[in-house]
Amino acid sequence: MASTIAIPESTTQAPQRLSHLRLLEAESIHIFREVAAEFQRPVMLYSIGKDSSVMLRLAQKAFYPGPIPFPLLHVDTGYKFKEMLAFRDSYTRELGVDLRVWRNEEALAAGANPVKLGTQRCCGLLKTTALLDALKAHGFDAAFGGARRDEEKSRAKERIFSFRDRAGQWDPKNQRPELWNIYNGRIGPSESIRVFPLSNWTELDVWHYIHLEQIPIVPLYLAKERRMLVRGDSLIPVEQSFVKSLPGEEQWVRSRLRSLGCSPCTGAIRSDADTVPKIIAELVTFRSSERANRVIDHDQDGSMEIKKREGYF
Amino acid sequence: MATLIPASSENSQNGQQDAAFSIEEFLWSEQEKDLLRLSTAGSVDDGKSTLIGRLLYDSRNVYEDHVRAVTRTTGGSAQASIDFAQLTDGLRAEREQGITIDVAYRYFSTERRKFIIADTPGHEQYTRNMATGASTADVAIILLDASKGILTQSRRHVYITSLLGIRHLVAAINKMDLVDFSPEVFARIEEQFTALVAQLGDANVKVIPMSALAGDNVVERSTRMPWYSGPTLLEHLESVPARHQLDGTSFRLPVQRVIRPGQDFAQQNFRGFAGQIAAGTVHVGDRVVALPSGRQTLVASISTFDGDLEQASSPQSIAITLEDEFDISRGDFLASADDPPQSSNALEASLVWFDGKPLDSRRNYLLKHAAQTVGARVLAVHHRVNVQTLAEEQADRLAMNEIGRVAIETLRPVFFDPYLKNRTTGSFILIDADTNATAAAGMIRGASAVERRGAWSELEETAFGHKPAVLLAGTALASSLEEALLGEGCAVVRTRSRDPKLWRALESVGVIALVEMPEEEPAAGARLAHFSAGTDREPELLLSRSFEDAEPAASAAEVLEALRRKGVLAEKGNG
Ligand SMILES: Nc1nc2c(ncn2[C@@H]2O[C@H](COP(=O)(O)OP(=O)(O)O)[C@@H](O)[C@H]2O)c(=O)[nH]1
């Protein structure tokens, strides 16, 4: 099954130490250990994406040589790319971690899909509701998530320990001040926290760490010739697409995905980046580029893509 | 009023850059970078958002779509203006809508360094946010409006940075354009500011004249202030030493967790004490002391996923194995045997009070320090600091956003260094045991001479012939344990409730609460959660036998034995 796992190829000698990344790593490991020690039933939300891959490696490091003392939870919307699921299954099996998968079967049986419901309601049912149900059903009291503060403005204020009330809701007025590396993990019955061990990592840090540590990632991140529906600026992966192609729109395009979402709602970009260093190069040159038109959408959830896409439905 | 840049400049330069970019060189230079944490403080409208926007923009850390979102094209001209404040000011909208005002973290990097900015709003009531941002900062940037000079609020900002132990201050004297770039105005403010800092401590100060709006001395050197020969803000930030390079104390490791992989692994007898090194360096073979036991041994190995290390330093996260088998659990310390941390049940500390409910010296709090949480109460409030005048005022309580000096008593000893020596071993938070709110942050000054108040309550002193306790056990063990404890004459209440509030309530009336947990492994024995004695949420395993050992189920007699060792039950007399 190893063929589903892309081992990033490095074009440089991976150095042993990298100070700022090692600092971030040490901080994240400390967070993992605090949560494992202070909570009864932690779980790691595993999205199969690059941030999850990094979290998983950090969790391995935190408890080495012991096993990761909590399960992984994948909320499967039913619309994930086949390559993602194949990667998920082979990689978690290889690592011997305890993977739980949760789907909102009820909504799927009722035919929930982004065209019928609109992306927002579809995400609400298949992602948010499913997640809350899963946390409740398992009685998880702490859930690790891979969100980073650099993702968008509203995330910039998120705590590392983010408190959730009995309904699983986030109350911005009720967040605890967080000083030094002392985390207040005390909760009442049915309350829980989300924990963000990658809070202080940037997108570049994540890719650089993947490169240094040779962390396996889903091959969809790497450029190759893929079947795409080309319309205007958008590249729509043909897999599970709800968009009807017009004659000539389906083409082979050298492309890759920047973020892994559900196949009907994730756009691809034209790219030659078929190694991790090339992805980093792409990220860095786009960033320092002053060309307004070639901006990478910085939104990890792909909501920009989704918005763009809604016009096609 | 915003800077004008030609809209067409967006199209220039970049083809060149793409071609010249070498990923190998880039990755190589990335690995050399370290991390510097900054906090900011300023009064409203001093130009903080503009400054941060400038810093990010001029150091090319802003995505184009963000820039476009805050760029206005005026009239039909080819001139577009960027509102730098809008670039980063996620807080502004909130301020206007009157909702939460909070610390926001931003990230940028240069060729030399990565930076994390804790951007804290500068308004009166936000002492809490400033303290939060400053707690992790290596450097604090304090903004001053050149046309206004030093304000009462600037005093408060300097005071909080000194309280939180920031060693490097930068005074950004902003809006120099409003005072015609006058060297005299600058010199006057510089002198006053330096004097203020000297009055409060011995932090290093750099005072820089700038105009954030036009970018003078932020990243680019100003051509309009030739009389200033010092560094620009960014140049200075690139050269300040980071805190982790300064940690001077001897080795300290708060134990977060004991790692025991069990039978499946080659290292069958592996017992790793895992934690993030809080200070100093440790080598294999070093003599260390385990606290609170005080027993000494040698470091056998320093274990990490990436292989064993010969030595490790703060702030690395590692696991240590020892030559001798000691009973060490979460919350304990491993430290240099030659130079261990201080130990005390009574602490002198500065407190920043956060909670809406003021400090109440009759109440018990939970004090979280490094990896241990202990019961605590305030013995005395020595004074409150008036953050406007910095005068010490008499007080017997602290309200929200107030700062004061107190004596605190803890149920178990705390192993600490003075905060100014080490932030990690010198800091704590107080948690309200009823609401779980983070009520205050504390900086330890030293051990306290204030007399302790004696018993926490009569009940704590084995009023019923035993101490109150909460025991967690599997169903079978719970049954035999209940019998055994009743046989000892103990007051036992058995429950299946998982509500820690109930457990705590039972404990507070002095009984032994026996919590039946059907899923508990029989071999695991019972676990002891001793709330008023303030343990962590992970209850302590009473028998050092673990699941993996696959030994026969723990017996009630063994658990009673363990409870005697822990002092919950009185030792059996010899008669
Ligand atoms: N003249 C002048 N105005 C400035 C300068 N820096 C900021 N300002 C203006 O001061 C006002 C407040 O700036 P802002 O960054 O929002 O302040 P904040 O409240 O501290 O974040 C805005 O109108 C800015 O344009 C400067 O260097 N010179």
Side-chain angles (χ1 to χ4, degrees):
Chain A
M1 288 268 98
S3 63
T4 58
I5 297 171
I7 302 287
E9 222 182 280
S10 69
T11 56
T12 55
Q13 287 277 21
Q16 277 300 299
R17 287 191 60 81
L18 189 113
S19 39
H20 75 276
L21 282 182
R22 294 301 165 209
L23 283 168
L24 292 172
E25 177 187 70
E27 175 181 284
S28 302
I29 290 174
H30 173 260
I31 293 165
F32 273 111
R33 288 169 171 172
E34 279 300 284
V35 174
E38 295 209 334
F39 288 82
Q40 306 286 349
R41 297 179 83 81
V43 66
M44 183 195 293
L45 305 180
Y46 179 68
S47 75
I48 324 180
K50 63 182 194 308
D51 303 298
S52 284
S53 285
V54 168
M55 273 212 293
L56 195 46
R57 171 60 55 89
L58 291 166
Q60 282 181 286
K61 291 196 177 195
F63 306 106
Y64 175 86
I68 296 175
F70 41 78
L72 269 53
L73 173 69
H74 177 228
V75 176
D76 182 3
T77 59
Y79 292 103
K80 296 296 175 192
F81 289 96
K82 284 193 217 73
E83 276 175 274
M84 289 173 69
L85 299 180
F87 176 87
R88 176 194 75 189
D89 293 339
S90 66
Y91 190 45
T92 54
R93 197 176 319 127
E94 184 189 312
L95 296 185
V97 295
D98 173 6
L99 173 74
R100 319 269 172 96
V101 176
W102 188 277
R103 284 156 60 114
N104 186 345
E105 299 290 1
E106 207 179 303
L108 284 169
N113 75 44
V115 181
K116 200 164 122 187
L117 301 177
T119 51
Q120 213 167 345
R121 271 190 64 207
C122 186
C123 281
L125 276 175
L126 299 181
K127 279 189 187 164
T128 317
T129 307
L131 172 62
L132 292 177
D133 288 349
L135 295 179
K136 203 163 160 198
H138 287 283
F140 293 128
D141 55 1
F144 294 99
R148 292 174 283 105
R149 285 177 179 148
D150 84 325
E151 284 175 37
E152 47 166 327
K153 270 189 191 173
S154 64
R155 283 258 165 84
K157 303 185 308 172
E158 184 63 280
R159 303 293 196 276
I160 290 175
F161 275 35
S162 176
F163 181 77
R164 304 294 151 118
D165 64 17
R166 280 158 183 257
Q169 305 291 315
W170 183 70
D171 175 3
K173 290 212 176 84
N174 196 14
Q175 297 299 313
R176 299 164 178 173
E178 234 166 41
L179 291 93
W180 303 291
N181 63 351
I182 310 181
Y183 303 106
N184 175 359
R186 300 191 76 89
I187 51 170
S190 310
E191 292 169 348
S192 63
I193 59 159
R194 296 286 166 76
V195 186
F196 301 112
L198 303 184
S199 286
N200 286 324
W201 295 58
T202 64
E203 186 174 16
L204 185 58
D205 294 331
V206 165
W207 280 116
H208 202 177
Y209 193 72
I210 287 171
H211 168 61
L212 276 177
E213 297 272 329
Q214 307 278 295
I215 296 172
I217 50 166
V218 183
L220 285 165
Y221 281 117
L222 303 174
K224 70 169 195 187
E225 302 293 325
R226 292 192 165 85
R227 207 62 189 149
M228 290 287 158
L229 200 154
V230 184
R231 185 173 292 179
D233 281 346
S234 298
L235 294 184
I236 305 165
V238 170
E239 184 179 332
Q240 273 189 334
S241 177
F242 285 90
V243 184
K244 279 248 161 20
S245 60
L246 304 172
E249 280 189 325
E250 243 185 77
Q251 295 168 19
W252 287 100
V253 183
R254 195 158 172 79
S255 56
R256 63 182 203 87
L257 299 188
R258 284 195 65 237
S259 57
L260 303 184
C262 297
S263 56
C265 294
T266 305
I269 55 166
R270 288 176 195 274
S271 169
D272 278 326
D274 54 3
T275 64
V276 172
K278 285 185 194 168
I279 290 177
I280 295 173
E282 197 179 86
L283 197 66
V284 174
T285 49
F286 273 144
R287 183 213 294 268
S288 58
S289 156
E290 296 199 298
R291 237 177 319 176
N293 287 337
R294 267 194 47 195
V295 174
I296 294 185
D297 168 30
H298 192 216
D299 184 335
Q300 290 311 290
D301 304 328
S303 71
M304 270 301 284
E305 278 114 332
I306 293 170
K307 268 186 242 135
K308 272 191 231 147
R309 222 47 122 42
E310 271 172 332
Y312 289 96
F313 293 135
Chain B
M1 288 279 288
T3 314
L4 299 177
I5 59 153
S8 59
S9 77
E10 285 181 3
N11 293 318
S12 62
Q13 279 188 358
N14 97 92
Q16 276 252 313
Q17 231 175 38
D18 284 0
F21 181 79
S22 147
I23 188 62
E24 285 78 13
E25 270 173 40
F26 175 77
L27 290 174
W28 199 251
S29 76
E30 276 287 288
Q31 89 185 34
E32 301 296 323
K33 290 182 189 174
D34 68 354
L35 185 64
L36 193 79
R37 298 184 195 240
L38 312 173
S39 75
T40 61
S43 306
V44 178
D45 284 343
D46 282 351
K48 187 153 57 65
S49 311
T50 308
L51 176 65
I52 295 173
R54 253 300 166 195
L55 203 51
L56 302 199
Y57 184 80
D58 286 0
S59 59
R60 321 187 106 221
N61 278 275
V62 187
Y63 286 89
E64 285 298 323
D65 49 350
H66 294 176
V67 176
R68 268 181 301 148
V70 299
T71 303
R72 282 180 306 256
T73 311
T74 32
S77 79
Q79 300 278 296
S81 58
I82 298 175
D83 183 344
F84 287 103
Q86 281 295 324
L87 211 49
T88 55
D89 199 353
L91 303 172
R92 174 178 308 255
E94 297 165 9
R95 189 156 66 211
E96 280 158 9
Q97 292 162 32
I99 50 177
T100 7
I101 305 217
D102 240 334
V103 187
Y105 295 86
R106 319 203 177 278
Y107 303 82
F108 75 105
S109 63
T110 65
E111 275 165 28
R112 307 260 308 266
R113 261 192 169 152
K114 296 252 173 185
F115 296 92
I116 301 179
I117 308 182
D119 183 9
T120 61
H123 196 272
E124 291 291 337
Q125 65 215 54
Y126 304 120
T127 300
R128 176 188 91 170
N129 295 327
M130 263 206 65
T132 302
S135 71
T136 49
D138 305 298
V139 180
I141 303 173
I142 296 180
L143 261 101
L144 297 168
D145 182 330
S147 64
K148 294 185 189 150
I150 292 182
L151 306 174
T152 16
Q153 285 172 36
S154 325
R155 287 176 178 284
R156 178 167 58 103
H157 298 151
V158 174
Y159 174 67
I160 293 173
T161 59
S162 86
L163 190 70
L164 271 293
I166 297 184
R167 307 290 307 139
H168 295 272
L169 297 188
V170 181
I173 314 299
N174 192 32
K175 307 197 185 181
M176 284 299 291
D177 52 307
L178 295 184
V179 296
D180 292 327
F181 303 100
S182 154
E184 289 77 27
V185 172
F186 174 75
R188 197 168 60 238
I189 299 175
E190 180 179 36
E191 194 189 313
Q192 288 171 356
F193 189 85
T194 314
L196 175 63
V197 174
Q199 183 196 330
L200 290 167
D202 59 353
N204 300 298
V205 196
K206 178 61 90 191
V207 187
I208 304 175
M210 60 184 83
S211 170
L213 198 55
D216 292 65
N217 285 342
V218 179
V219 173
E220 308 292 338
R221 189 158 286 278
S222 173
T223 52
R224 297 185 283 184
M225 292 178 271
W227 45 266
Y228 173 76
S229 57
T232 66
L233 176 63
L234 189 64
E235 284 166 4
H236 182 62
L237 295 179
E238 284 191 318
S239 63
V240 177
R243 175 166 67 101
H244 59 92
Q245 298 164 342
L246 300 174
D247 267 341
T249 41
S250 302
F251 170 66
R252 276 114 182 73
L253 181 79
V255 176
Q256 283 184 278
R257 195 182 163 81
V258 182
I259 295 177
R260 299 195 59 179
Q263 286 184 328
D264 301 351
F265 291 76
Q267 297 119 307
Q268 239 194 74
N269 296 320
F270 186 93
R271 263 170 79 84
F273 302 106
Q276 184 171 21
I277 301 176
T281 299
V282 63
H283 305 83
V284 174
D286 278 0
R287 177 159 288 278
V288 292
V289 61
L291 298 167
S293 76
R295 295 177 65 186
Q296 296 193 5
T297 182
L298 305 179
V299 172
S301 73
I302 303 168
S303 156
T304 77
F305 179 88
D306 300 298
D308 283 2
L309 305 176
E310 273 305 305
Q311 65 166 69
S313 302
S314 150
Q316 279 178 284
S317 283
I318 43 95
I320 281 182
T321 66
L322 300 174
E323 293 284 352
D324 299 295
E325 269 228 16
F326 291 171
D327 188 10
I328 294 174
S329 52
R330 174 170 168 82
D332 292 359
F333 259 72
L334 290 174
S336 152
D338 297 334
D339 176 26
Q342 299 179 50
S343 162
S344 179
N345 279 56
L347 305 169
E348 286 293 314
S350 297
L351 279 192
V352 183
W353 199 260
F354 297 145
D355 204 18
K357 254 190 276 171
L359 178 159
D360 182 345
S361 53
R362 291 162 312 184
R363 290 189 58 201
N364 290 355
Y365 295 94
L366 294 166
L367 182 150
K368 185 168 183 190
H369 170 264
Q372 88 165 337
T373 307
V374 298
R377 60 188 177 190
V378 175
L379 291 173
V381 178
H382 299 311
H383 61 247
R384 176 174 58 212
V385 175
N386 180 325
V387 291
Q388 308 298 334
T389 61
L390 305 186
E392 295 173 359
E393 299 167 350
Q394 225 194 328
D396 55 9
R397 52 173 230 171
L398 296 174
M400 186 154 70
N401 283 313
E402 289 185 339
I403 297 172
R405 177 74 75 88
V406 301
I408 288 190
E409 173 182 37
T410 55
L411 249 172
R412 290 195 311 236
V414 168
F415 310 102
F416 69 93
D417 296 290
Y419 182 78
L420 293 180
K421 263 185 145 177
N422 186 277
R423 282 198 206 178
T424 310
T425 54
S427 59
F428 63 84
I429 59 171
L430 287 185
I431 300 169
D432 184 309
D434 290 337
T435 63
N436 290 331
T438 302
M443 281 74 52
I444 301 172
R445 305 279 145 180
S448 176
V450 174
E451 202 167 316
R452 302 192 54 197
R453 217 182 282 157
W456 284 71
S457 70
E458 281 119 55
L459 295 176
E460 193 225 334
E461 299 299 301
T462 58
F464 306 144
H466 58 80
K467 285 189 187 166
V470 177
L471 283 173
L472 281 54
T475 306
L477 182 59
S479 298
S480 55
L481 203 50
E482 185 178 17
E483 275 307 310
L485 287 166
L486 290 173
E488 293 281 317
C490 300
V492 187
V493 176
R494 186 164 164 186
T495 175
R496 287 190 187 125
S497 165
R498 295 304 174 87
D499 187 345
K501 282 212 177 94
L502 174 74
W503 303 351
R504 208 156 43 221
L506 289 172
E507 190 183 39
S508 71
V509 297
V511 304
I512 295 181
L514 186 56
V515 184
E516 190 183 314
M517 305 197 108
E519 77 280 11
E520 199 86 345
E521 291 279 333
R527 290 181 296 156
L528 176 69
H530 203 344
F531 279 103
S532 63
T535 56
D536 294 297
R537 289 175 50 81
E538 180 187 49
E540 174 186 4
L541 206 57
L542 268 180
L543 302 175
S544 59
R545 172 188 299 172
S546 69
F547 303 79
E548 301 84 355
D549 291 345
E551 284 173 38
S555 72
E558 283 177 286
V559 176
L560 288 197
E561 195 58 37
L563 287 173
R564 278 191 236 290
R565 272 202 310 276
K566 294 282 173 194
V568 175
L569 301 183
E571 290 286 345
K572 269 223 167 78
N574 284 337

